[in-house]
Amino acid sequence: MELEAQWWTGQLAADIHQALRYKELKLPSYKGQSPQLHLRRYFADLIAIVSNRFRLCPAARHLAVYLLDLFMDRYDISVQQLHVVALSCLLLASKFEEKEDSVPKLEQLNSLGCMTNMNLVLTKQNLLHMELLLLETFQWNLCLPTAAHFIDYYLSIAVHETDLHDGWPMVCLEKTKLYMAKYADYFLEVSLQDHAFLNYAPSLVATACVASSRIILRLSPTWPTRLHHLTAYSWDFLVPCIERLLIAHDNDVKEANKQKGQHAQSAQHTVFQSPAPTPQQASVQQHIPQYLQAHQPSLQYHHQTSQQQNCQQILSANHTASYPLQTCPAALQSSVQARGHGQTGAAVSLAVPLEVKPCVSVSYNRSYQVNGRYSCVTPCFER
């Protein structure tokens, strides 16, 4: 979206925000009916890794994942072609959000490890065909607001000198703003990893990221009046989305502690014995692309909502009602059959529209509660 740099600090910030809120009302509907839905997390992480390698802005990354979600929701796509579709979505999003010199080049995309591992080679003709198919699918409209387009505007007043940390005045306002931005960015990335967040409006997800960051940082009041007025979202309206974000945070903390314990145990064993890698292991490690090797842990899915009973219940009793959410039938997540090997031409069977299948409405019992104090300690402030 061609917006002025740091538009949220200018005189037209309120008008631009209202325009974005108006555009999000016309976003295409998402049904979650893709047969490849179980692969969605992998390709979302792939887009995030590639965008980080080319240092693309968060808006381009979020728009690329959103385009991928909508396209997968409408077509039955082979696994090999999904790599091409994911990179084409990232290319379109970067052309829309970034400057021309920041857009990845064709040679750079072909050098990615995921392309060589799948024996895929992108050509200019194939990319143009895929981009045209994407543009026709979205009726040449890429002005699709995501949570990344709202977050900076809300962060501009997310922290104020009148806020309290653990009931005490803040010692360093700038330090608090820095941690607020880091946590908001973390929760923003969490929202990319689960398609369930597509059930919420992008502005609501961005607002929930700010509210979740305030909970983690133990700032009070949790939802001040200024943020209520700016975002137009009340606390009760945000609670279901905040719960999902905090559950994901808890799971990440548990996984990090688990890996830390495993590393500590392995370090104790290496003190006495440090075996050298076998030639086969050395050969495999040599051929793994560095960007994939550095981000390999991020390709594992840890945000399982089934662990929500382990989270501390910290919401008042009057917020325990159930909210209906839309989940996709398990039958739709069928196995994917590869269609061709290494073929990326225009003749690959890709445009197979799916029949509209209504999702099953179930009741999501919000046993995880958010209010008062949060269990995870964030040792980032000193009184």
Side-chain angles (χ1 to χ4, degrees):
M1 212 168 295
E2 297 182 1
L3 297 178
E4 184 181 357
Q6 294 188 350
W7 61 269
W8 53 92
T9 60
Q11 296 180 353
L12 299 178
D15 295 332
I16 295 176
H17 174 250
Q18 289 299 323
L20 292 174
R21 294 290 289 264
Y22 177 75
K23 287 182 178 297
E24 76 172 351
L25 297 177
K26 299 182 178 181
L27 290 176
S29 59
Y30 177 78
K31 300 178 178 62
Q33 62 181 3
S34 172
Q36 292 80 30
L37 193 61
H38 60 287
L39 298 174
R40 187 259 183 201
R41 169 65 190 273
Y42 166 78
F43 286 101
D45 282 343
L46 176 64
I47 289 177
I49 293 172
V50 177
S51 64
N52 286 334
R53 180 183 179 182
F54 294 110
R55 298 182 179 180
L56 302 180
C57 64
R61 178 166 60 254
H62 280 252
L63 178 59
V65 175
Y66 187 54
L67 294 177
L68 177 65
D69 284 329
L70 294 178
F71 195 78
M72 288 178 61
D73 202 40
R74 301 182 184 186
Y75 296 96
D76 188 1
I77 314 170
S78 66
V79 178
Q80 286 185 326
Q81 278 294 95
L82 271 176
H83 286 83
V84 182
V85 172
L87 294 178
S88 299
C89 289
L90 182 61
L91 199 60
L92 268 184
S94 61
K95 290 179 180 179
F96 191 74
E97 297 287 352
E98 295 281 0
K99 297 180 180 179
E100 184 177 358
D101 54 355
S102 299
V103 178
K105 304 298 187 294
L106 178 61
E107 297 78 12
Q108 294 174 321
L109 294 177
N110 280 326
S111 65
L112 297 175
C114 64
M115 301 299 293
T116 57
N117 292 337
M118 295 292 296
N119 295 324
L120 293 176
V121 178
L122 293 176
T123 64
K124 184 176 181 180
Q125 182 179 1
N126 291 338
L127 276 181
L128 288 176
H129 168 75
M130 188 61 65
E131 288 183 354
L132 285 175
L133 181 58
L134 287 168
L135 290 172
E136 290 176 358
T137 300
F138 304 118
Q139 300 179 352
W140 294 79
N141 176 29
L142 296 184
C143 189
L144 306 173
T146 66
H149 293 98
F150 293 94
I151 193 70
D152 289 313
Y153 183 60
Y154 299 155
L155 282 176
S156 62
I157 63 167
V159 179
H160 194 264
E161 58 184 5
T162 58
D163 292 336
L164 301 179
H165 172 246
D166 274 344
W168 294 79
M170 289 182 295
V171 176
C172 182
L173 180 62
E174 295 302 323
K175 185 178 180 181
T176 309
K177 290 182 177 180
L178 177 62
Y179 279 103
M180 170 62 67
K182 288 182 178 296
Y183 270 108
D185 182 67
Y186 160 76
F187 283 116
L188 203 61
E189 297 308 309
V190 168
S191 67
L192 277 182
Q193 299 170 356
D194 192 347
H195 65 91
F197 288 98
L198 293 173
N199 292 321
Y200 308 104
S203 59
L204 189 149
V205 174
T207 305
C209 290
V210 174
S212 300
S213 301
R214 289 184 62 88
I215 293 175
I216 296 295
L217 296 176
R218 307 194 302 276
L219 298 178
S220 60
T222 304
W223 193 238
T225 305
R226 66 178 187 277
L227 282 172
H228 184 183
H229 290 165
L230 183 70
T231 64
Y233 287 116
S234 63
W235 173 257
D236 293 340
F237 205 73
L238 296 174
V239 166
C241 188
I242 294 175
E243 288 176 349
R244 289 187 177 273
L245 293 172
L246 293 182
I247 289 170
H249 175 267
D250 277 359
N251 292 332
D252 277 344
V253 171
K254 293 174 183 177
E255 184 64 26
N257 292 335
K258 180 181 178 180
Q259 293 182 359
K260 184 178 179 181
Q262 292 177 352
H263 291 326
Q265 292 179 358
S266 61
Q268 293 177 356
H269 290 295
T270 55
V271 172
F272 302 96
Q273 183 179 4
S274 180
T278 62
Q280 293 82 0
Q281 293 175 344
S283 176
V284 171
Q285 293 177 359
Q286 183 179 2
H287 291 84
I288 294 179
Q290 295 181 359
Y291 81 96
L292 282 179
Q293 191 174 15
H295 297 81
Q296 210 165 12
S298 67
L299 298 181
Q300 301 175 0
Y301 182 58
H302 303 305
H303 308 315
Q304 301 176 359
T305 56
S306 61
Q307 299 180 1
Q308 55 185 298
Q309 64 271 14
N310 296 328
C311 302
Q312 182 183 10
Q313 298 184 357
I314 46 180
L315 180 68
S316 58
N318 56 350
H319 296 309
T320 57
S322 298
Y323 285 80
L325 295 179
Q326 298 294 327
T327 59
C328 203
L332 291 179
Q333 300 181 4
S334 57
S335 59
V336 182
Q337 298 180 354
R339 302 175 184 174
H341 302 280
Q343 300 178 357
T344 58
V348 175
S349 61
L350 182 82
V352 183
L354 294 174
E355 297 181 358
V356 178
K357 301 178 181 179
C359 293
V360 180
S361 177
V362 299
S363 178
Y364 171 56
N365 187 10
R366 303 190 297 102
S367 61
Y368 183 71
Q369 302 177 355
V370 286
N371 196 4
R373 294 182 178 275
Y374 186 66
S375 57
C376 294
V377 179
T378 308
C380 57
F381 298 112
E382 296 178 359
R383 293 199 188 116

